[in-house]
Amino acid sequence: FSNIMMLSFPEYLSSGFIDEAGLKETFSWIIFGLSLPVLFFSSADIFVSAWKGLRQKFLNIDAPIALAIIVTFVRSYYEIITGTGAGYLDSGSGIVFFMLIGRWFQNKTHDSFSFDRDYLSYFPLGVTVIRGGAEKNIPVTQLEKSDRIIIRNEEMIPADAVLMKGSANIDYSFVSGENAAVERKKGELIYAGGKQIGSAIELEVIKEVSQSYITQLWNNDIFSNKKNEEKSFIHPWSKYFTYVLFAIAIATVVFWYFTDAAKIFPAVTAVLIVACPCSLLLSATFTYGNMLRIFGRNKLYLKNASVIESLAKINSIVFDKTGTITQSQATSVNYEGLPLSDHENAIIRTISKQSSHPLSRVIADSIPEPLERLITLKEFKEFTGKGLQALADNTYVKMGSSSFVKDNIPVFTQDTGTAVHVLMDNVHMGTYRVQNQYRTGLKEMIRSLDRKGFDLYVLSGDNNLEKENLVKIFGRNTNINFQQSPQQKLNFIKKLQGYSTSPLGDGGKYVLMLGDGLNDAGALMQSNVGIAVSENSAQFSPASDAILDGSKVSMLDKFISFAKSGKTIVMASFILSILYNIVGLSFAVQGLLSPMVAAILMPASSISIVLFVSLYSSFIARKKGL
């Protein structure tokens, strides 16, 4: 571009009259040669994009730009070859040059958003690692090569590793779509993305965690269930913008044809270039890109940008109880029943540690570590939402809810709290009572959601002994349901959404489900937006649309409010972009804007849109306390 511009100076400064014989033609043909790589290489992506749109019978944002480039270069080549003029190759190469600068800046900005989201602070997933002879929970980002890790039932393997202890049955359906578990023996390699089915295993990491790989798993179409696939509300705007632009260009041709034919070329070219459909699409792209970064900074990790628009439509919220609105780190555990020997305690602790369910983890942590490593565990099974069973040192053990174990109890009394029953060889040994402690700030968050008109529901797998505490937090008007199985939770959400004519169904609601990702996988999938709450756990649910750190549950009202602001931000940038186009086109159609200036203004407008939406979305986030 700079060389073509320099070689064009003699033509400009001499007003087209160069006295030295042959000099004008020499300059023109050098410029001709320099322009060829600009047309056939530098602008190739623009032509390819426009052509793909046409093949799909759709005029995309690159179509008018490609046409402007073709018109400029073909007209210039005609003048040079016929000797009727010097052409406009300085303007043509300038168009491509400034367009590429604008796109380079856009890509750099987008990369910075993606990098921040994917690597700087990713999922709040943890993994149990053995260091210094003790078990410790660390974020997966801190996992190193040669670390020894423990993977429990239903937990995902975060990195390629070798099996060191235990019996591995790996479900690779996250990766391959095959549901059949694959058995692995000691010393064999287990790949990242597999999920252990059965008792806990010990692995040695041989490769570092690839978070981009986890992202790929999460965004796999297998788990999308066609959720959040509807077109963004901005889609029709960008589609019709191109049609309007071509209509204006045709009108410009007609007007100048009858007024001043010499102005047709510069006016039409400037119209095609200065109009910026890019900025319309960039409005949403960069708004939601920056919002993803802000959500991630506050430990809410969304699967993709379309979840933001879905989150903004929410009018009903369903809460799971255990591990979601209650804290697994701040609970008290009391055992009631027959005295347990050290060996029996060790059995219960060993079995509880195989599960990633919050109640199992709490019980395991409440029992001192006596002879745990001497326990031989076989036939471990976990029944989602019900309990555990296993053969430990030839003792048949069942642990779980009253409905799970009551068939084995001759006389059964009603629970008096959140309870986990223990059977050993069909003898009811006793019950672990877990007293819940609700998350800090939960009551204030619920009141905020209630004031804003959201319909609130609570679905709990436990009995109704916590009802009064929940009523104090949620109020008398909240629909609270107890002893709900995973299937019942899923059906409840379907009724809210209007998929059932049952009297229980309110119908037509846009539902957000907040669950722990283990018992609630079906409900998370069924809901319009499913958020899995994670707290120092490697439990990974691709059924969810977002993962929320447990410490940030009380900020849910702020997250929804910020998501609703996204449309306002996009519309504000739309208005700014449309005003820019109106001003630019008003000069272009009059022939007062050269193609070169138009080529500079177009990426400049895109850059201004990027800066505007980034600053505006950050400003609103600060106002909402994010």
Side-chain angles (χ1 to χ4, degrees), residues 152-155 196-199 351-360 379-390 399 404 518-519 539:
R152 298 179 174 84
N153 183 50
E154 295 287 331
E155 288 187 345
Q196 165 66 352
I197 305 297
S199 57
I351 294 175
S352 298
K353 289 194 70 175
Q354 311 307 308
S355 171
S356 56
H357 191 279
L359 288 180
S360 299
E379 300 178 17
F380 174 86
K381 290 183 180 179
E382 181 167 5
F383 300 86
T384 304
K386 297 178 180 179
L388 316 169
Q389 72 177 36
M399 295 177 61
F404 183 61
L518 180 62
N519 300 334
Q539 181 62 36

Side-chain angles (χ1 to χ4, degrees), residues 220 225 244 285 331 591:
N220 195 308
N225 197 27
V244 172
T285 300
T331 54

Side-chain angles (χ1 to χ4, degrees), residues 33 110 119 145 211 219 237 312 320 417 430 474 488 499 528 556 616:
H110 187 270
Y119 296 95
K145 189 176 178 181
Q211 292 186 18
N219 278 290
W237 293 70
D320 174 51
F474 285 86
Q488 287 174 316
Y499 293 123
N528 300 97
L556 182 63
Y616 191 24

Side-chain angles (χ1 to χ4, degrees), residues 160-235:
D160 293 352
V162 173
L163 179 63
M164 305 304 291
K165 290 183 181 179
S167 176
N169 288 285
I170 310 300
D171 176 6
Y172 280 114
S173 59
F174 282 11
V175 182
S176 64
E178 290 289 336
N179 291 320
V182 179
E183 186 176 350
R184 287 288 178 262
K185 297 179 181 179
K186 183 179 178 180
E188 290 188 331
L189 177 64
I190 299 177
Y191 293 103
K195 184 175 66 173
Q196 165 66 352
I197 305 297
S199 57
I201 55 177
E202 188 174 314
L203 307 169
E204 182 174 314
V205 176
I206 61 171
K207 289 184 180 180
E208 293 183 359
V209 177
S210 172
Q211 292 186 18
S212 58
Y213 180 66
I214 298 175
T215 308
Q216 182 182 355
L217 291 176
W218 197 21
N219 278 290
N220 195 308
D221 291 339
I222 294 173
F223 309 106
S224 66
N225 197 27
K226 297 184 179 179
K227 287 174 67 176
N228 304 316
E229 285 190 344
E230 62 270 18
K231 294 291 186 182
S232 169
F233 75 95
I234 62 104
H235 186 73

Side-chain angles (χ1 to χ4, degrees), residues 417-431:
T418 300
V420 177
H421 297 268
V422 179
L423 266 69
M424 289 187 174
D425 290 331
N426 292 330
V427 176
H428 185 248
M429 302 298 293
T431 305

